[in-house]
Amino acid sequence: MTFDDFSPLIVGNWKMNGLQAALGEISALCAKPALGVEMVVCPPATLLASARIRLGDSPIALGGQDCHEKASGPFTGSISAEMLKDAGCLYVIVGHSERRTLLGETDAIVQAKVCAAWRADLTAIVCVGETRQQREAGEAFAVVREQVRRSLPPSLTPERLVIAYEPVFAIGTGLTPTLDDIAQMHAEIRAQLHTMWGEKSTRVRILYGGSVKPSNAGAILNLPNVNGALIGGASLKASEFLEIAASYKHVDA
Ligand code: PGA
């Protein structure tokens, strides 16, 4: 199966979960990948090499959960985009809110990581999203627009960029914004990308993330300007992840 730059994209972020035994879930994914959507799995770094072997010639791609902005050097514990590429990754998540909040990653750091991803020929999945307080204060659009503006490099490689809108209060909580809120924010991000890069930006995919599960995926994935999903908890079980991926209805279906 081949994918163009704009197939719906379903990404599983395992976060700091998964020992060797979890590789069975990768094998289960390969046994029955969802048709017509592009799937990416981002296990912890310790499993990347074995996951790559399990994926074999399956159309499911491998991604890292973060990268350092430098290619190599004295950065104990860090992994470069080049190392991810070398381990068989095609994607890397950058700027996840857990890293922005817990590790103090700024938009400028995120932007440097996007450049690093592109240098290594990886597709960067750049996460943005407001906190509950910012939403309640009516600042959500301004905050997310600004994150998009400041986290992305000045010149665009559209086929190497994916945005993931993940409102912080929806991550791992079981809570999601309303469908209207999601659709409005995706339209806002689409407009911001257009302001920055014009027509070229229409090929950038915008994913929704935050408590996506089989029961709500169909409604979310079929909203306008929602081009896929970034999934945490529900990506740990192959059966749930596949069910979510299968919720995307093609326009011509
Ligand atoms: P969740 O996480 O699906 O467990 O809410 C999403 C994410 O953090 O990417």
Side-chain angles (χ1 to χ4, degrees):
M1 191 187 306
T2 56
F3 296 107
D4 67 24
D5 296 341
F6 215 70
S7 314
L9 182 66
I10 308 291
V11 183
N13 171 15
W14 285 17
K15 308 191 181 181
M16 198 172 75
N17 296 292
L19 304 177
Q20 296 292 322
L23 289 166
E25 298 300 322
I26 305 258
S27 304
L29 278 183
C30 300
K32 202 174 166 295
L35 297 177
V37 297
E38 192 176 347
M39 297 176 76
V40 181
V41 59
C42 304
T46 48
L47 296 184
L48 285 174
S50 326
R52 185 54 265 161
I53 293 167
R54 296 264 180 144
L55 286 169
D57 59 5
S58 140
I60 299 170
L62 191 64
Q65 296 180 11
D66 177 56
C67 65
H68 194 276
E69 56 264 43
K70 295 278 193 331
S72 62
F75 304 103
T76 302
S78 296
I79 297 177
S80 70
E82 282 76 1
M83 290 168 175
L84 293 175
K85 181 77 180 180
D86 189 49
C89 293
L90 296 180
Y91 289 81
V92 59
I93 299 169
V94 294
H96 191 283
S97 67
E98 285 153 12
R99 298 193 62 90
R100 289 180 185 263
T101 312
L102 302 172
L103 301 170
E105 280 191 8
T106 60
D107 290 331
I109 293 175
V110 176
Q111 184 182 127
K113 291 184 175 195
V114 178
C115 293
W118 291 354
R119 187 185 63 219
D121 208 19
L122 296 176
T123 296
I125 302 169
V126 182
C127 303
V128 294
E130 79 284 11
T131 63
R132 174 175 297 288
Q133 291 84 335
Q134 288 165 335
R135 175 155 285 272
E136 285 172 358
E139 295 165 355
F141 289 147
V143 165
V144 170
R145 264 201 317 265
E146 203 51 13
Q147 282 179 339
V148 169
R149 196 178 66 76
R150 295 163 62 114
S151 301
L152 300 179
S155 73
L156 173 68
T157 311
E159 62 286 357
R160 286 277 169 264
L161 177 67
V162 174
I163 306 289
Y165 167 56
E166 299 205 303
V168 177
F169 55 89
I171 295 177
T173 58
L175 305 170
T176 51
T178 66
L179 294 175
D180 268 0
D181 287 339
I182 296 173
Q184 279 175 26
M185 185 61 87
H186 279 240
E188 194 72 22
I189 294 171
R190 181 64 68 210
Q192 174 64 27
L193 293 173
H194 199 269
T195 304
M196 292 165 72
W197 292 310
E199 258 326 275
K200 233 172 135 181
S201 71
T202 55
R203 297 196 66 74
V204 175
R205 287 175 289 192
I206 307 174
L207 315 184
Y208 169 78
S211 295
V212 177
K213 41 189 185 269
S215 59
N216 61 17
I220 294 172
L221 284 173
N222 293 291
L223 289 169
N225 286 310
V226 175
N227 312 119
L230 177 56
I231 297 146
S235 71
L236 296 172
K237 281 263 158 278
S239 54
E240 278 188 53
F241 191 48
L242 287 167
E243 217 183 308
I244 291 170
S247 314
Y248 192 90
K249 290 185 198 59
H250 291 272
V251 181
D252 57 355

